[in-house]
Amino acid sequence: METFELIAPCHFGLEAVLKREIQDLGYEVSLVEDGKVTFTGDVQAICDANVFLRTAERILLKVGKFRAETFDELFENIKALPWERYIPADGRFWVTKAASVKSRLFSPSDIQSIAKKAVVERLKAHYKLNWFPEEGAEYPIRITFLKDEATVGIDTSGISLHKRGYRKLSSKAPITETLAAALILLTPWKGDRILVDPFCGCGTFPIEAAMMAAHIAPGMNRSFTAESWTNLIARKCWYEAVTEAGDLQKHQIETDIQGYDIDAAQVRSARENAREAGVDHLIHFQARPVRELNHPKKYGFLLTNPPYGERLEEKENLPGLYREIGEAMKRLDSWSFYLISGYEEAERYIGRKAEKNRKIYNGMLKTYFYQFPGPKPPRRQKQELWEK
């Protein structure tokens, strides 16, 4: 079967998590770069990656890579690529996004316009047509320049993969589904362990954790642009991916996943989102402040995205809020705490230095993933946890 190079963009700093996910699917990773992982696979890999990957932002079918310092070079290199391999005569194609970093060609609109003309010229010569109706399936093209080297791909996903389809209601500063999933995967948490998010907002951390515990594939309830690429991907490939995802689901499980927020309206939103995701029965949501956080069980996990003062009116409350997080750590001294925050004074007011912190870009905002791992459960208790 024909193989392709596929590119999976992700949040900066989380490439290793995505690489492991791709390898767990059984596909070979060929390159890991800042913010993206390249791997090889057949058409089934396109379907599997879109349906199963939790931390990728989208899946691009790589068409080519070349160096271009002038618009003439851009035109000729784009024209030389085998577009007819991917785009049929009635395909609708356009350059949906062009990005440039440290390159001589930096105007997105000019790159988009010239690249589109080059693709048209290539397809005109192949299909012996002077005009294309563009009434068929969509083939959105993406071009990224880095130090004058262009990478060209066709977007197989369409809407970004962080849009799982369950988040109908959102909080003021929500964490994306893909970032939440990646942060969970950076911890040793498993579905049979306690997980609490005391700043749950619209519920993204608890919902992503519950989906992992129940083996619910993130792409189960959405569609993808490449589903209409019948010239490349047989419909049975999508059917096989979704059928496999359905077979893997385990709804009859017990979990101890909890989401709290001081805002009762946010808690209601979180419950509704959990219902949309099909995991509301696996999560306990409650309106309560972090200062009341306690739990009778030991060896749990706290994973959260507390406020970090993006809005000026919040900043004066941050020292007290982070002190309350520190007090919760003292009460739950056998627990592991994981926080993503852009607040530079987080460790100071928590009153404890993180064992590890990892720089992660949440959009354009620099944040740190503070990790305070707790003690491991005794061997007997660990065995009991796994047997539940």
Side-chain angles (χ1 to χ4, degrees), residues 318-348:
L318 293 182
L321 189 66
Y322 280 79
R323 285 193 190 100
E324 289 177 351
I325 294 173
E327 289 301 317
M329 286 185 176
K330 292 176 184 176
R331 291 193 297 274
L332 300 169
D333 57 0
S334 68
W335 281 44
S336 299
F337 283 68
Y338 297 87
L339 298 82
I340 181 171
S341 178
Y343 183 40
E344 296 289 345
E345 302 288 331
E347 290 173 304
R348 174 187 172 189

Side-chain angles (χ1 to χ4, degrees), residues 117-185:
K117 291 176 183 176
V119 177
V120 168
E121 289 303 309
R122 172 79 184 204
L123 294 181
K124 279 169 65 175
H126 179 80
Y127 290 117
K128 312 300 182 188
L129 294 172
N130 289 320
W131 178 80
F132 293 93
E134 298 197 49
E135 296 173 343
E138 296 182 347
Y139 297 81
I141 299 165
R142 288 179 170 249
I143 302 173
T144 57
F145 268 93
L146 176 61
K147 296 180 180 178
D148 298 320
E149 190 170 66
T151 302
V152 183
I154 307 176
D155 183 9
T156 73
S157 304
I159 297 172
S160 175
L161 293 180
H162 80 263
K163 302 266 189 188
R164 315 288 205 218
Y166 65 74
R167 203 159 77 179
K168 308 299 182 185
L169 300 167
S170 189
S171 56
K172 293 177 183 177
I175 192 168
T176 67
E177 295 89 325
T178 46
L179 179 53
L183 296 180
I184 294 169
L185 291 171

Side-chain angles (χ1 to χ4, degrees), residues 75-88:
F75 182 90
E76 293 301 329
N77 278 296
I78 291 285
K79 185 181 174 182
L81 295 174
W83 293 102
E84 65 279 1
R85 180 185 180 191
Y86 313 105
I87 304 176

Side-chain angles (χ1 to χ4, degrees), residues 17-59:
V17 181
L18 176 55
K19 176 185 176 181
R20 186 169 68 244
E21 269 204 289
I22 292 168
Q23 291 173 330
D24 287 346
L25 276 181
Y27 297 107
E28 183 178 349
V29 170
S30 54
L31 184 63
V32 178
E33 301 171 275
D34 287 345
K36 62 183 178 182
V37 178
T38 301
F39 62 105
T40 55
D42 54 16
V43 291
Q44 189 63 55
I46 296 173
C47 307
D48 291 346
N50 276 294
V51 170
F52 288 102
L53 291 180
R54 299 184 188 277
T55 62
E57 293 300 311
R58 61 183 67 251
I59 304 300

Side-chain angles (χ1 to χ4, degrees), residues 66-79 105 110-112 114-115 118 143 145 150 152:
F66 55 80
R67 188 172 183 82
E69 299 180 9
T70 68
F71 286 117
D72 285 341
E73 289 177 339
L74 173 64
F75 182 90
E76 293 301 329
N77 278 296
I78 291 285
K79 185 181 174 182
L105 302 182
D110 288 336
I111 294 170
Q112 288 170 296
I114 289 167
I143 302 173
F145 268 93
V152 183

